[in-house]
Amino acid sequence: MTPDKSKQPRPNTDKSSSDGESYAIENRATLQSINQRMTMNSAIASNYATQWGAVEAFRELVQNWRDGIIQSFKLAEQDFRVVLIESSHEIIYKAIAPGSSHRKTAEPSECFGYIRWSHQNGAGTVEITNRQATLEPWHLDMGATSKKNECNQAGMHGEGLKIALLVFMRRPQNHAVRCRSGGFSWTFNFTNQRRLVACPLRMPPTEIAKTRDQAKNEVNQGLLPFAPAPNGDVQFLIGTGPKGRDETGWPTIRGEVSRKEFKNWTKAAIFLQNIEAGGIVKTPEGDLIINPRYSGNIYLKGLLLNESKEGRSASITGKRLKYGYNFATGVTNRERESVAGANNESCAILSIWNQALIAKQDLVRNLHELLNSEDTEYADVACAESFMRQETQDRLKIFLLNEYKGKWFYSAREKNQNLRFDHVLQGLGLEPLKLKDSYWSIMNKAGFRTAEEEEKKRFEAAESLPIPDELFSREFIRLIRAGLETCTETAGVTVIFVKAGNLGLDSLYLHRKHVLKIHEKWSTLTGSKTELGVSRQGWMSLALLSAAKRLLADAFSQVPMHLFRGDGQHSPHWNQKKAISESDRRILELIQIKRETHFRVKEYDESSMVEINWNPSTAWSRECQVTIQFHRESTCSHLKGLLLAEKVAHADVQRCTAPALYGQPLMNSCFTKTVPFKSGKFNVQVQKGLKYFVMMFNPWDPGSLVVLRERPSVETGNATASTLDEFDVDCETETVEQYTLGDRVKSLDIMTPRNWFYGSGSSGSKAVVGVEKVDSLNKGQTKPQLSPGVDLPPRPQYPPKSQVTVKRRRVD
């Protein structure tokens, strides 16, 4: 029965050594201090770094090989070059001098080192050879490294060689590892206590000569690029060898390295891979590996850090990598599985992409697909929002604008946050194209705007529109300006209409420019009623009130909230709502008074009577005073812009106004009078032919709005000329116009009996007016029989012949 090795005591001597002596420990020794041989017991146990496999172990030896060549021959990293020669019985990677030929017959002096797998004497062996290098005993000390300050070398922690020896000697590899360097032959093994042990033995001159001669023969046969010198070079040999101990401390027979096994090891270094030119993009920041065979692999300075496998990503983020990367710079973690952190990894990858797009511009599509992938979140673009360079953002921007012309890029986050999104996009006239949230955030830094921002930008750039010469337009602008004037934060704002087309905004407040732009759709009564969704037959005053309240609320909502801080007693939000309420109250007050105010001029032979009437039961207190100012159009039209009572009171109008006194001679200048509001009227006789406008305000309430009446009705004798300043109109396309009747029409006759008259309108239009003949209507008709208790409605009363009011369509 075979004994259980785990329970059997192990001998204290190593039977695999030549003399079976016990091993002693000696640290920091050099080869020169060794007489013949030395036994170096390490504290590293055979089960250290069990996550490493043969590929990782081979990587460490290749790293030392590459770094040793760079250091020995003072090479720049980009000058390190490897060529591959492969035959049926051997595979050789040669490190050649810059500018050297790739030919197999290159001079030995042009080769700095080689890695060789050969199958001789029935066994596969791997040789790793450096010229002009030496392995010293202290290199096996834990943490010992000579590369800490070498930026062109990958080694850092000083553990790689020791761990590699463990991995190669323990199962499943179970290979012997030997070394020739400095005239010594090194053997490596495990002790019976499962510790790593090294034994450098000085080679006699005859053995050195014999080894050199054998190598020269192979050079002559074309099998080696040069003959290694045991006393001047470093050569590791991996494969079969003397009997050794396994990782449990029991004796074992070492095995060979098969060709397949060796080829699998070579993926540890990208410079040992025969990647076609189109499969890799080399840049100063590192290499982007497009070849699918190497996708998901991460390399540092050409050496494999980690490879992605089924269910496990090589990325430190744990996310899938679509491409492979070879970082030009970086520091690994202690396990050599990744760079120091996720941010370092992301920065390195994005730096490579930035340079790769310079070298190969069509790769921008690949990057776009990575960023906009909905199914998979790739590690290739992890943290791209934070670390993507501006140049990369700009190239992506150009690609998107050229590839998707006429599209509007948006994110799901934007659409969810903006309930008007679809309406805004419709106004912009663009078709939406969705970008991933993180992708859109990146493009936002490159200049992409949200749909709402674009709408505002176009609205701001829209061409201004003159105020239409219509009563509604003038009154609407004045109401908006007046409402803004009631708030300190918006006083003095310029209000204009703009030609904003299909844009969905009603208004745009530009705080820095102190301007409020209003969409042209609000500039007419018809347009405003359409936007308000009210009947076109409604009163103009109601449309004015509703439109002004809506636009003022919209404007105040756009004022920066910090401006409503006030005195600190209330929140800015409270102060904002108060401003909206105050403006609503003031414009309602203004409309109520103006609706009940009538401005007339009665013309006589030598003078005119200017008269203003109002309803004293409207808005202001009956007990208050009202100041009435009559101003000449020719000299004081600029005063129409005054909106608040306090502004008129403080304005310098004394030079143009004089107190109006009853019984005084005819006035031929501007004048003012303060009367009780309950009086309901005021009039004054003026010089005939002068045109006046009226400003009314409540001097007791400085914050009240000024009532402005500009176009009076004019009465001449018994006739009244029309005015364009009728405040309430039930339809914009239909106005009341009065006609003065002229001579009777004799030649016009229709079936309905009427008296026909030529007429002329106050606006200069001509018309023919027919007045029904009352007698003809009743003649010959029999009064209908009605039910008991039901009377006929009264007979309609018609206006006198001299004046008839008719409705006609206005053509604007």
Side-chain angles (χ1 to χ4, degrees):
M1 184 175 182
T2 305
D4 185 353
K5 295 184 178 182
S6 63
K7 297 182 180 180
Q8 298 295 320
R10 302 183 185 94
N12 289 328
T13 58
D14 187 357
K15 301 299 183 180
S16 65
S17 63
S18 57
D19 57 1
E21 70 179 28
S22 300
Y23 294 111
I25 297 176
E26 183 177 357
N27 295 320
R28 303 300 291 175
T30 63
L31 293 179
Q32 291 182 350
S33 65
I34 301 174
N35 184 17
Q36 289 296 322
R37 66 178 300 158
M38 180 180 182
T39 300
M40 301 172 56
N41 287 319
S42 171
I44 303 178
S46 62
N47 60 353
Y48 183 69
T50 54
Q51 73 277 14
W52 278 31
V55 174
E56 290 78 15
F58 186 70
R59 175 194 64 198
E60 298 306 310
L61 295 185
V62 171
Q63 172 185 312
N64 291 337
W65 174 72
R66 193 271 307 270
D67 292 350
I69 290 173
I70 288 175
Q71 186 178 41
S72 296
F73 294 93
K74 309 301 181 186
L75 297 179
E77 188 173 351
Q78 61 270 21
D79 291 334
F80 178 78
R81 302 170 59 206
V82 174
V83 297
L84 170 64
I85 300 173
E86 187 171 358
S87 66
S88 59
H89 59 275
E90 69 176 357
I91 303 171
I92 301 180
Y93 294 94
K94 297 190 299 182
I96 61 176
S100 298
S101 170
H102 288 205
R103 293 176 294 118
K104 185 177 180 179
T105 57
E107 292 295 325
S109 60
E110 296 179 343
C111 183
F112 298 147
Y114 65 85
I115 297 175
R116 176 196 187 197
W117 174 87
S118 61
H119 194 271
Q120 298 180 21
N121 302 322
T125 303
V126 175
E127 304 168 39
I128 304 175
T129 305
N130 287 65
R131 301 184 77 171
Q132 302 179 20
T134 303
L135 177 66
E136 291 285 353
W138 60 268
H139 286 151
L140 295 180
D141 290 346
M142 196 65 172
T145 179
S146 60
K147 307 172 188 177
K148 189 169 184 178
N149 298 319
E150 298 291 339
C151 62
N152 61 349
Q153 298 183 30
M156 197 67 171
H157 301 287
E159 298 179 3
L161 174 59
K162 281 76 76 177
I163 300 176
L165 295 173
L166 296 180
V167 173
F168 280 129
M169 292 190 297
R170 68 191 180 198
R171 299 181 189 280
Q173 288 71 235
N174 191 32
H175 301 309
V177 182
R178 295 169 290 153
C179 177
R180 298 192 189 106
S181 177
F184 282 78
S185 175
W186 293 66
T187 58
F188 304 94
N189 207 346
F190 292 122
T191 68
N192 62 340
Q193 298 300 314
R194 298 178 297 180
R195 304 292 181 184
L196 176 65
V197 63
C199 183
L201 176 65
R202 188 179 293 275
M203 299 174 64
T206 55
E207 186 178 354
I208 293 175
K210 180 181 178 181
T211 303
R212 189 67 183 270
D213 291 341
Q214 289 176 347
K216 287 181 179 179
N217 289 334
E218 292 192 69
V219 171
N220 294 333
Q221 295 173 17
L223 301 178
L224 287 179
F226 64 87
N231 55 351
D233 303 330
V234 173
Q235 184 178 45
F236 277 92
L237 298 98
I238 307 169
T240 59
K243 186 178 178 181
R245 289 183 180 272
D246 64 15
E247 65 275 13
T248 65
W250 288 94
T252 186
I253 302 296
R254 304 298 188 187
E256 67 165 337
V257 180
S258 67
R259 185 188 189 100
K260 180 180 179 181
E261 190 178 6
F262 173 73
K263 296 200 77 168
N264 183 58
W265 292 358
T266 61
K267 65 183 180 183
I270 196 169
F271 49 80
L272 300 181
Q273 306 303 306
N274 189 22
I275 303 177
E276 68 282 359
I280 186 168
V281 182
K282 294 182 177 296
T283 79
E285 299 284 352
D287 305 330
L288 171 62
I289 308 170
I290 305 174
N291 190 314
R293 180 183 172 189
Y294 305 96
S295 64
N297 291 358
I298 294 181
Y299 301 84
L300 174 62
K301 300 177 183 178
L303 299 167
L304 182 68
L305 285 182
N306 209 341
E307 62 176 330
S308 296
K309 297 179 180 179
E310 188 67 29
R312 184 179 67 84
S313 173
S315 169
I316 195 172
T317 66
K319 300 174 183 178
R320 178 185 171 189
L321 280 166
K322 188 170 184 179
Y323 299 100
Y325 300 93
N326 176 32
F327 303 152
T329 59
V331 178
T332 67
N333 60 3
R334 194 165 194 88
E335 291 74 26
R336 291 183 175 59
E337 293 179 337
S338 65
V339 289
N343 288 350
N344 300 62
E345 179 183 283
S346 182
C347 284
I349 291 175
L350 293 171
S351 296
I352 290 175
W353 271 106
N354 183 65
Q355 292 296 315
L357 294 181
I358 297 175
K360 198 174 181 181
Q361 296 181 5
D362 59 348
L363 286 174
V364 67
R365 183 181 297 276
N366 302 59
L367 183 57
H368 159 72
E369 292 172 353
L370 286 173
L371 289 164
N372 210 35
S373 172
E374 291 288 352
D375 298 331
T376 305
E377 188 173 355
Y378 288 102
D380 308 64
V381 289
C383 303
E385 293 178 71
S386 302
F387 302 118
M388 180 175 287
R389 297 185 183 180
Q390 186 64 49
E391 303 95 316
T392 308
Q393 296 174 13
D394 292 341
R395 292 185 180 92
L396 283 166
K397 178 181 178 180
I398 294 172
F399 166 78
L400 289 172
L401 295 179
N402 290 336
E403 185 73 13
Y404 304 101
K405 294 180 179 178
K407 305 287 187 180
W408 184 258
F409 303 99
Y410 74 98
S411 67
R413 184 190 300 124
E414 175 194 354
K415 187 172 182 178
N416 293 335
Q417 293 175 350
N418 186 358
L419 299 178
R420 295 180 55 247
F421 179 82
D422 292 330
H423 181 65
V424 171
L425 218 57
Q426 184 180 0
L428 294 175
L430 296 171
E431 185 178 349
L433 181 64
K434 183 179 177 181
L435 295 181
K436 200 171 179 179
D437 286 348
S438 55
Y439 189 9
W440 195 92
S441 296
I442 293 170
M443 300 319 301
N444 181 233
K445 296 178 182 178
F448 278 21
R449 293 179 289 274
T450 63
E452 187 175 33
E453 289 170 341
E454 178 66 15
E455 183 183 43
K456 291 181 179 179
K457 181 176 182 294
R458 294 190 185 187
F459 201 97
E460 181 177 356
E463 179 184 357
S464 61
L465 176 73
I467 300 174
D469 189 20
E470 299 178 8
L471 176 61
F472 175 85
S473 306
R474 297 192 303 271
E475 292 294 335
F476 178 70
I477 284 289
R478 183 173 179 84
L479 281 176
I480 297 298
R481 291 181 56 236
L484 295 172
E485 202 72 20
T486 62
C487 178
T488 305
E489 289 73 21
T490 54
V493 169
T494 301
V495 183
I496 59 176
F497 289 120
V498 293
K499 298 178 181 179
N502 294 324
L503 296 179
L505 284 178
D506 291 329
S507 68
L508 180 65
Y509 176 67
L510 304 173
H511 172 61
R512 293 185 178 180
K513 296 182 179 180
H514 219 46
V515 172
L516 176 67
K517 295 190 173 187
I518 300 176
H519 198 294
E520 61 182 330
K521 61 191 178 185
W522 294 96
S523 65
T524 64
L525 179 58
T526 300
S528 294
K529 286 184 175 181
T530 300
E531 289 301 310
L532 293 170
V534 300
S535 170
R536 296 183 63 179
Q537 302 302 318
W539 292 109
M540 187 179 76
S541 59
L542 296 180
L544 275 171
L545 177 62
S546 300
K549 289 178 65 175
R550 177 162 162 181
L551 269 294
L552 284 168
D554 189 40
F556 282 122
S557 69
Q558 299 177 61
V559 176
M561 189 60 71
H562 70 271
L563 296 180
F564 291 106
R565 285 194 299 263
D567 55 8
Q569 293 183 355
H570 299 283
S571 69
H573 185 65
W574 187 93
N575 289 328
Q576 181 194 58
K577 290 193 295 184
K578 178 178 180 295
I580 295 174
S581 299
E582 178 66 10
S583 69
D584 288 350
R585 184 177 71 85
R586 292 298 187 181
I587 62 175
L588 175 60
E589 182 180 80
L590 176 63
I591 288 177
Q592 287 176 333
I593 295 176
K594 192 165 186 177
R595 185 175 180 178
E596 300 294 333
T597 302
H598 303 283
F599 180 27
R600 296 185 179 88
V601 174
K602 295 182 179 180
E603 293 186 348
Y604 302 104
D605 292 339
E606 297 181 357
S607 65
S608 298
M609 180 68 70
V610 180
E611 182 179 276
I612 184 79
N613 297 285
W614 62 89
N615 183 350
S617 298
T618 302
W620 293 337
S621 169
R622 289 178 58 87
E623 304 304 321
C624 76
Q625 298 288 306
V626 59
T627 298
I628 303 171
Q629 293 184 355
F630 287 84
H631 291 282
R632 296 175 58 180
E633 288 275 1
S634 60
T635 59
C636 300
S637 60
H638 63 281
L639 296 177
K640 294 179 182 180
L642 297 176
L643 302 169
L644 294 183
E646 63 178 348
K647 295 292 180 68
V648 179
H650 296 158
D652 186 14
V653 297
Q654 298 300 322
R655 289 179 297 177
C656 72
T657 61
L661 303 175
Y662 291 104
Q664 69 177 24
L666 299 180
M667 297 290 298
N668 59 5
S669 63
C670 304
F671 50 91
T672 183
K673 182 69 174 179
T674 299
V675 299
F677 186 63
K678 63 184 177 182
S679 65
K681 67 179 181 178
F682 176 77
N683 58 56
V684 65
Q685 198 166 11
V686 299
Q687 183 176 328
K688 187 174 182 179
L690 296 180
K691 293 184 178 180
Y692 284 88
F693 64 90
V694 180
M695 297 174 65
M696 296 175 56
F697 61 90
N698 181 357
W700 289 7
D701 184 0
S704 64
L705 300 181
V706 176
V707 178
L708 173 69
R709 297 307 300 258
E710 302 180 70
R711 303 184 185 187
S713 60
V714 180
E715 297 180 5
T716 304
N718 293 326
T720 301
S722 168
T723 176
L724 296 180
D725 204 9
E726 292 289 343
F727 194 65
D728 262 333
V729 181
D730 60 352
C731 179
E732 183 182 25
T733 58
E734 205 173 71
T735 62
V736 175
E737 185 153 5
Q738 295 177 332
Y739 287 85
T740 301
L741 301 183
D743 297 333
R744 176 176 294 188
V745 178
K746 297 180 179 180
S747 59
L748 185 63
D749 187 19
I750 61 174
M751 294 180 64
T752 303
R754 294 177 183 271
N755 292 323
W756 297 95
F757 300 87
Y758 291 112
S760 58
S762 58
S763 61
S765 60
K766 301 295 182 182
V768 175
V769 182
V771 180
E772 291 179 315
K773 295 180 179 180
V774 176
D775 293 340
S776 298
L777 288 173
N778 295 326
K779 185 178 180 180
Q781 295 182 3
T782 302
K783 184 175 181 180
Q785 298 298 317
L786 302 176
S787 302
V790 178
D791 296 326
L792 284 171
R795 184 187 303 275
Q797 300 298 313
Y798 296 98
K801 174 182 175 182
S802 62
Q803 180 175 314
V804 178
T805 300
V806 297
K807 291 186 178 182
R808 70 178 182 86
R809 296 286 177 181
R810 174 187 291 172
V811 181
D812 292 331

